[in-house]
Amino acid sequence: MSDRNDLIEISGTQNPSRRGDVIFVHGLGGDALSTWHPQERRDDDNFWPAWLGEDLSDVGIWSLAYEVQPFRWKGNSMPLVDRATNSLDLLDSYEIGDRPIIFVTHSMGGLLVKQMLRSARDFGKWEAIASGTRGIVFLSTPHSGSVFGRFPRPGNPA
């Protein structure tokens, strides 16, 4: 399975009577698996989403994989609005929204989820995802931007 632009099933996702879904969303330069691993590894189940799945066996645990690089020369990146609608279509294809949803986000992943919920409300096509979202955990999300994205100018040091 490719982890580019996909929803990775961690645990409990095949349970038809699960109580809800938790979706982990990595940030800029991150990865759907290694972002949540204490040693940034991708090759074992010793990471936060799997631990949560052990504690909450009646909840679907997922991790959203998407390409996002900090600089264009390091790889391809899609504009945030387009990435949001693509991600909504992906969640919809897995029937996410039929149950309550909690997003756990890191860095730009939080900005992506905010844009996803805006797009879901604006377009109406993904209303189930918007209305099914019960919570968002923001970890290091730059809600007001970042000093790294600003150019130095008089009166506004970088």
Side-chain angles (χ1 to χ4, degrees), residues 94-138:
Y94 281 86
E95 299 179 356
I96 300 294
D98 293 347
R99 298 166 186 84
I101 306 165
I102 295 177
F103 290 97
V104 178
T105 68
H106 177 253
S107 182
M108 187 174 166
L111 301 179
L112 174 59
V113 168
K114 288 188 339 182
Q115 183 60 52
M116 287 167 58
L117 295 176
R118 263 189 228 108
S119 295
R121 291 267 187 224
D122 290 349
F123 297 115
K125 179 179 177 184
W126 306 284
E127 178 58 33
I129 293 171
S131 63
T133 299
R134 298 292 187 264
I136 306 170
V137 177
F138 294 105

Short mmCIF file of all heavy atoms in Angstrom, two decimals, residues 94-138:
data_model
loop_
_atom_site.label_atom_id
_atom_site.label_comp_id
_atom_site.label_asym_id
_atom_site.label_seq_id
_atom_site.Cartn_x
_atom_site.Cartn_y
_atom_site.Cartn_z
N TYR A 94 -13.83 6.34 2.69
CA TYR A 94 -13.72 5.35 3.77
C TYR A 94 -14.93 5.41 4.71
O TYR A 94 -14.92 4.84 5.79
CB TYR A 94 -12.45 5.58 4.58
CG TYR A 94 -11.20 5.04 3.93
CD1 TYR A 94 -10.48 5.78 3.01
CD2 TYR A 94 -10.71 3.78 4.27
CE1 TYR A 94 -9.33 5.30 2.42
CE2 TYR A 94 -9.56 3.28 3.69
CZ TYR A 94 -8.87 4.06 2.76
OH TYR A 94 -7.73 3.56 2.19
N GLU A 95 -15.93 6.18 4.30
CA GLU A 95 -17.17 6.36 5.07
C GLU A 95 -16.92 6.98 6.44
O GLU A 95 -17.61 6.70 7.42
CB GLU A 95 -17.94 5.04 5.19
CG GLU A 95 -18.37 4.52 3.82
CD GLU A 95 -19.11 3.21 3.87
OE1 GLU A 95 -19.26 2.61 4.96
OE2 GLU A 95 -19.57 2.78 2.79
N ILE A 96 -15.91 7.84 6.50
CA ILE A 96 -15.67 8.62 7.72
C ILE A 96 -16.74 9.69 7.77
O ILE A 96 -17.01 10.37 6.78
CB ILE A 96 -14.25 9.25 7.71
CG1 ILE A 96 -13.17 8.18 7.62
CG2 ILE A 96 -14.05 10.14 8.92
CD1 ILE A 96 -13.06 7.27 8.81
N GLY A 97 -17.35 9.87 8.91
CA GLY A 97 -18.43 10.83 9.08
C GLY A 97 -19.71 10.15 9.52
O GLY A 97 -20.64 10.79 9.96
N ASP A 98 -19.74 8.82 9.39
CA ASP A 98 -20.90 8.07 9.87
C ASP A 98 -20.90 7.97 11.40
O ASP A 98 -21.92 7.63 11.99
CB ASP A 98 -20.91 6.65 9.28
CG ASP A 98 -21.13 6.65 7.78
OD1 ASP A 98 -21.52 7.69 7.22
OD2 ASP A 98 -20.91 5.59 7.15
N ARG A 99 -19.75 8.24 12.00
CA ARG A 99 -19.57 8.17 13.46
C ARG A 99 -18.86 9.44 13.93
O ARG A 99 -18.27 10.14 13.11
CB ARG A 99 -18.70 6.96 13.82
CG ARG A 99 -19.27 5.65 13.42
CD ARG A 99 -18.19 4.55 13.50
NE ARG A 99 -18.72 3.32 12.97
CZ ARG A 99 -18.75 2.99 11.68
NH1 ARG A 99 -18.28 3.82 10.79
NH2 ARG A 99 -19.26 1.85 11.29
N PRO A 100 -18.86 9.71 15.23
CA PRO A 100 -18.11 10.87 15.72
C PRO A 100 -16.62 10.78 15.37
O PRO A 100 -16.06 9.69 15.30
CB PRO A 100 -18.31 10.79 17.24
CG PRO A 100 -19.57 10.01 17.42
CD PRO A 100 -19.60 9.01 16.29
N ILE A 101 -16.02 11.94 15.13
CA ILE A 101 -14.62 12.03 14.71
C ILE A 101 -13.85 12.93 15.67
O ILE A 101 -14.35 13.99 16.07
CB ILE A 101 -14.49 12.65 13.31
CG1 ILE A 101 -15.35 11.91 12.30
CG2 ILE A 101 -13.03 12.71 12.86
CD1 ILE A 101 -15.55 12.68 11.00
N ILE A 102 -12.63 12.51 15.98
CA ILE A 102 -11.67 13.37 16.68
C ILE A 102 -10.41 13.38 15.85
O ILE A 102 -9.92 12.33 15.44
CB ILE A 102 -11.38 12.88 18.11
CG1 ILE A 102 -12.63 12.98 18.96
CG2 ILE A 102 -10.22 13.66 18.73
CD1 ILE A 102 -12.49 12.44 20.37
N PHE A 103 -9.90 14.58 15.56
CA PHE A 103 -8.65 14.73 14.84
C PHE A 103 -7.53 15.02 15.84
O PHE A 103 -7.72 15.84 16.75
CB PHE A 103 -8.73 15.88 13.83
CG PHE A 103 -9.62 15.62 12.66
CD1 PHE A 103 -10.93 16.09 12.65
CD2 PHE A 103 -9.16 14.91 11.56
CE1 PHE A 103 -11.76 15.86 11.56
CE2 PHE A 103 -9.99 14.67 10.46
CZ PHE A 103 -11.28 15.15 10.47
N VAL A 104 -6.39 14.39 15.66
CA VAL A 104 -5.18 14.70 16.42
C VAL A 104 -4.19 15.21 15.39
O VAL A 104 -3.80 14.47 14.48
CB VAL A 104 -4.62 13.47 17.16
CG1 VAL A 104 -3.33 13.84 17.90
CG2 VAL A 104 -5.65 12.89 18.12
N THR A 105 -3.82 16.49 15.50
CA THR A 105 -3.04 17.12 14.45
C THR A 105 -1.70 17.63 14.97
O THR A 105 -1.57 18.00 16.14
CB THR A 105 -3.81 18.30 13.82
OG1 THR A 105 -3.92 19.35 14.79
CG2 THR A 105 -5.19 17.87 13.37
N HIS A 106 -0.73 17.67 14.07
CA HIS A 106 0.56 18.25 14.39
C HIS A 106 0.91 19.31 13.35
O HIS A 106 0.78 19.07 12.14
CB HIS A 106 1.65 17.17 14.41
CG HIS A 106 3.01 17.74 14.66
ND1 HIS A 106 3.96 17.83 13.68
CD2 HIS A 106 3.55 18.27 15.78
CE1 HIS A 106 5.04 18.37 14.19
NE2 HIS A 106 4.82 18.66 15.46
N SER A 107 1.30 20.47 13.81
CA SER A 107 1.81 21.53 12.95
C SER A 107 0.83 21.86 11.83
O SER A 107 -0.34 22.15 12.10
CB SER A 107 3.18 21.09 12.41
OG SER A 107 3.77 22.07 11.61
N MET A 108 1.26 21.78 10.59
CA MET A 108 0.40 22.13 9.46
C MET A 108 -0.80 21.20 9.34
O MET A 108 -1.80 21.55 8.72
CB MET A 108 1.21 22.12 8.17
CG MET A 108 0.42 22.64 7.01
SD MET A 108 1.44 22.76 5.56
CE MET A 108 0.19 22.98 4.33
N GLY A 109 -0.73 20.03 9.95
CA GLY A 109 -1.88 19.13 9.95
C GLY A 109 -3.10 19.80 10.58
O GLY A 109 -4.24 19.57 10.16
N GLY A 110 -2.87 20.64 11.59
CA GLY A 110 -3.97 21.39 12.21
C GLY A 110 -4.57 22.40 11.25
O GLY A 110 -5.79 22.58 11.20
N LEU A 111 -3.71 23.05 10.47
CA LEU A 111 -4.21 24.00 9.46
C LEU A 111 -4.99 23.27 8.38
O LEU A 111 -6.02 23.77 7.92
CB LEU A 111 -3.04 24.77 8.84
CG LEU A 111 -2.18 25.59 9.80
CD1 LEU A 111 -1.05 26.28 9.04
CD2 LEU A 111 -3.01 26.58 10.58
N LEU A 112 -4.52 22.09 8.02
CA LEU A 112 -5.23 21.29 7.02
C LEU A 112 -6.62 20.91 7.52
O LEU A 112 -7.61 21.06 6.81
CB LEU A 112 -4.43 20.04 6.67
CG LEU A 112 -5.13 19.04 5.73
CD1 LEU A 112 -5.49 19.68 4.40
CD2 LEU A 112 -4.26 17.80 5.53
N VAL A 113 -6.71 20.45 8.75
CA VAL A 113 -8.01 20.04 9.30
C VAL A 113 -8.95 21.25 9.40
O VAL A 113 -10.13 21.14 9.08
CB VAL A 113 -7.85 19.31 10.65
CG1 VAL A 113 -9.19 19.15 11.35
CG2 VAL A 113 -7.20 17.95 10.42
N LYS A 114 -8.44 22.40 9.81
CA LYS A 114 -9.29 23.59 9.86
C LYS A 114 -9.83 23.92 8.48
O LYS A 114 -11.02 24.24 8.33
CB LYS A 114 -8.52 24.78 10.46
CG LYS A 114 -8.29 24.62 11.94
CD LYS A 114 -7.71 25.79 12.69
CE LYS A 114 -6.97 26.85 12.03
NZ LYS A 114 -6.44 27.89 12.95
N GLN A 115 -8.97 23.83 7.46
CA GLN A 115 -9.42 24.10 6.09
C GLN A 115 -10.40 23.04 5.62
O GLN A 115 -11.37 23.34 4.92
CB GLN A 115 -8.23 24.19 5.13
CG GLN A 115 -8.63 24.54 3.71
CD GLN A 115 -9.35 25.88 3.60
OE1 GLN A 115 -8.85 26.89 4.08
NE2 GLN A 115 -10.52 25.89 3.00
N MET A 116 -10.17 21.79 6.00
CA MET A 116 -11.10 20.72 5.64
C MET A 116 -12.49 21.02 6.19
O MET A 116 -13.49 20.88 5.48
CB MET A 116 -10.60 19.37 6.18
CG MET A 116 -9.41 18.82 5.44
SD MET A 116 -8.61 17.43 6.30
CE MET A 116 -9.95 16.27 6.47
N LEU A 117 -12.57 21.44 7.44
CA LEU A 117 -13.87 21.71 8.05
C LEU A 117 -14.53 22.94 7.43
O LEU A 117 -15.75 22.97 7.25
CB LEU A 117 -13.73 21.84 9.56
CG LEU A 117 -13.29 20.55 10.26
CD1 LEU A 117 -13.08 20.78 11.74
CD2 LEU A 117 -14.28 19.43 10.01
N ARG A 118 -13.71 23.95 7.06
CA ARG A 118 -14.26 25.11 6.35
C ARG A 118 -14.85 24.68 5.00
O ARG A 118 -15.97 25.06 4.66
CB ARG A 118 -13.15 26.14 6.09
CG ARG A 118 -13.10 27.23 7.08
CD ARG A 118 -12.13 28.32 6.61
NE ARG A 118 -11.28 28.62 7.74
CZ ARG A 118 -10.00 28.29 7.88
NH1 ARG A 118 -9.35 27.70 6.92
NH2 ARG A 118 -9.34 28.60 8.96
N SER A 119 -14.08 23.89 4.27
CA SER A 119 -14.55 23.43 2.95
C SER A 119 -15.78 22.54 3.08
O SER A 119 -16.70 22.63 2.27
CB SER A 119 -13.43 22.67 2.23
OG SER A 119 -12.35 23.53 1.94
N ALA A 120 -15.80 21.69 4.10
CA ALA A 120 -16.95 20.81 4.30
C ALA A 120 -18.21 21.63 4.55
O ALA A 120 -19.28 21.31 4.01
CB ALA A 120 -16.68 19.87 5.48
N ARG A 121 -18.10 22.69 5.32
CA ARG A 121 -19.27 23.55 5.58
C ARG A 121 -19.64 24.36 4.34
O ARG A 121 -20.82 24.48 3.99
CB ARG A 121 -18.97 24.51 6.73
CG ARG A 121 -18.85 23.85 8.07
CD ARG A 121 -20.18 23.84 8.77
NE ARG A 121 -19.97 23.34 10.13
CZ ARG A 121 -20.75 22.47 10.71
NH1 ARG A 121 -21.81 22.01 10.08
NH2 ARG A 121 -20.52 22.06 11.92
N ASP A 122 -18.63 24.91 3.66
CA ASP A 122 -18.89 25.78 2.50
C ASP A 122 -19.53 25.03 1.34
O ASP A 122 -20.42 25.53 0.68
CB ASP A 122 -17.60 26.45 2.02
CG ASP A 122 -17.09 27.50 2.99
OD1 ASP A 122 -17.82 27.86 3.93
OD2 ASP A 122 -15.94 27.95 2.80
N PHE A 123 -19.04 23.83 1.06
CA PHE A 123 -19.51 23.09 -0.11
C PHE A 123 -20.68 22.16 0.21
O PHE A 123 -21.37 21.73 -0.69
CB PHE A 123 -18.37 22.30 -0.75
CG PHE A 123 -17.28 23.17 -1.28
CD1 PHE A 123 -16.01 23.12 -0.74
CD2 PHE A 123 -17.52 24.07 -2.31
CE1 PHE A 123 -15.00 23.94 -1.22
CE2 PHE A 123 -16.52 24.89 -2.80
CZ PHE A 123 -15.25 24.82 -2.25
N GLY A 124 -20.87 21.81 1.47
CA GLY A 124 -21.99 20.96 1.85
C GLY A 124 -21.84 19.50 1.50
O GLY A 124 -22.51 18.65 2.07
N LYS A 125 -20.97 19.19 0.57
CA LYS A 125 -20.79 17.80 0.12
C LYS A 125 -20.32 16.88 1.25
O LYS A 125 -20.65 15.72 1.27
CB LYS A 125 -19.78 17.79 -1.03
CG LYS A 125 -19.47 16.42 -1.58
CD LYS A 125 -18.48 16.51 -2.73
CE LYS A 125 -18.12 15.14 -3.23
NZ LYS A 125 -17.10 15.18 -4.27
N TRP A 126 -19.56 17.43 2.17
CA TRP A 126 -18.98 16.64 3.26
C TRP A 126 -19.55 17.07 4.62
O TRP A 126 -18.87 17.03 5.63
CB TRP A 126 -17.46 16.79 3.27
CG TRP A 126 -16.84 16.46 1.96
CD1 TRP A 126 -16.62 15.22 1.43
CD2 TRP A 126 -16.35 17.38 0.99
NE1 TRP A 126 -16.02 15.32 0.20
CE2 TRP A 126 -15.85 16.64 -0.10
CE3 TRP A 126 -16.29 18.78 0.93
CZ2 TRP A 126 -15.28 17.23 -1.22
CZ3 TRP A 126 -15.72 19.38 -0.20
CH2 TRP A 126 -15.24 18.60 -1.26
N GLU A 127 -20.80 17.45 4.65
CA GLU A 127 -21.44 17.92 5.88
C GLU A 127 -21.35 16.90 7.00
O GLU A 127 -21.21 17.25 8.17
CB GLU A 127 -22.90 18.29 5.62
CG GLU A 127 -23.66 18.74 6.84
CD GLU A 127 -23.05 19.96 7.54
OE1 GLU A 127 -22.48 20.83 6.85
OE2 GLU A 127 -23.16 20.03 8.78
N ALA A 128 -21.40 15.61 6.67
CA ALA A 128 -21.32 14.56 7.70
C ALA A 128 -19.98 14.62 8.43
O ALA A 128 -19.92 14.39 9.64
CB ALA A 128 -21.53 13.18 7.08
N ILE A 129 -18.92 14.94 7.72
CA ILE A 129 -17.60 15.04 8.36
C ILE A 129 -17.57 16.28 9.25
O ILE A 129 -17.10 16.21 10.40
CB ILE A 129 -16.48 15.07 7.30
CG1 ILE A 129 -16.42 13.72 6.58
CG2 ILE A 129 -15.14 15.42 7.94
CD1 ILE A 129 -15.50 13.68 5.38
N ALA A 130 -18.08 17.39 8.76
CA ALA A 130 -18.09 18.62 9.56
C ALA A 130 -18.94 18.45 10.82
O ALA A 130 -18.50 18.77 11.93
CB ALA A 130 -18.60 19.79 8.73
N SER A 131 -20.15 17.94 10.66
CA SER A 131 -21.04 17.82 11.83
C SER A 131 -20.63 16.66 12.73
O SER A 131 -20.96 16.67 13.92
CB SER A 131 -22.49 17.67 11.38
OG SER A 131 -22.66 16.49 10.63
N GLY A 132 -19.91 15.68 12.20
CA GLY A 132 -19.46 14.55 13.00
C GLY A 132 -18.20 14.82 13.80
O GLY A 132 -17.85 14.05 14.69
N THR A 133 -17.52 15.92 13.51
CA THR A 133 -16.29 16.25 14.23
C THR A 133 -16.63 16.73 15.63
O THR A 133 -17.34 17.71 15.81
CB THR A 133 -15.47 17.31 13.47
OG1 THR A 133 -15.12 16.77 12.19
CG2 THR A 133 -14.21 17.68 14.22
N ARG A 134 -16.13 16.00 16.62
CA ARG A 134 -16.42 16.31 18.02
C ARG A 134 -15.25 17.01 18.72
O ARG A 134 -15.42 17.62 19.76
CB ARG A 134 -16.74 15.04 18.80
CG ARG A 134 -17.98 14.32 18.31
CD ARG A 134 -19.23 15.16 18.60
NE ARG A 134 -20.42 14.42 18.28
CZ ARG A 134 -21.08 14.52 17.15
NH1 ARG A 134 -20.66 15.32 16.21
NH2 ARG A 134 -22.16 13.81 16.94
N GLY A 135 -14.05 16.90 18.13
CA GLY A 135 -12.91 17.54 18.75
C GLY A 135 -11.69 17.52 17.86
O GLY A 135 -11.58 16.70 16.95
N ILE A 136 -10.78 18.47 18.14
CA ILE A 136 -9.51 18.54 17.43
C ILE A 136 -8.44 18.81 18.47
O ILE A 136 -8.56 19.73 19.28
CB ILE A 136 -9.49 19.67 16.38
CG1 ILE A 136 -10.66 19.54 15.40
CG2 ILE A 136 -8.16 19.68 15.63
CD1 ILE A 136 -10.84 20.75 14.50
N VAL A 137 -7.40 18.01 18.43
CA VAL A 137 -6.23 18.24 19.27
C VAL A 137 -5.18 18.90 18.38
O VAL A 137 -4.78 18.33 17.37
CB VAL A 137 -5.68 16.92 19.86
CG1 VAL A 137 -4.43 17.16 20.67
CG2 VAL A 137 -6.76 16.22 20.69
N PHE A 138 -4.77 20.11 18.75
CA PHE A 138 -3.77 20.84 17.98
C PHE A 138 -2.43 20.77 18.72
O PHE A 138 -2.32 21.26 19.84
CB PHE A 138 -4.16 22.31 17.84
CG PHE A 138 -5.40 22.55 17.01
CD1 PHE A 138 -6.60 22.90 17.61
CD2 PHE A 138 -5.35 22.47 15.62
CE1 PHE A 138 -7.73 23.14 16.85
CE2 PHE A 138 -6.48 22.70 14.85
CZ PHE A 138 -7.68 23.04 15.47
#
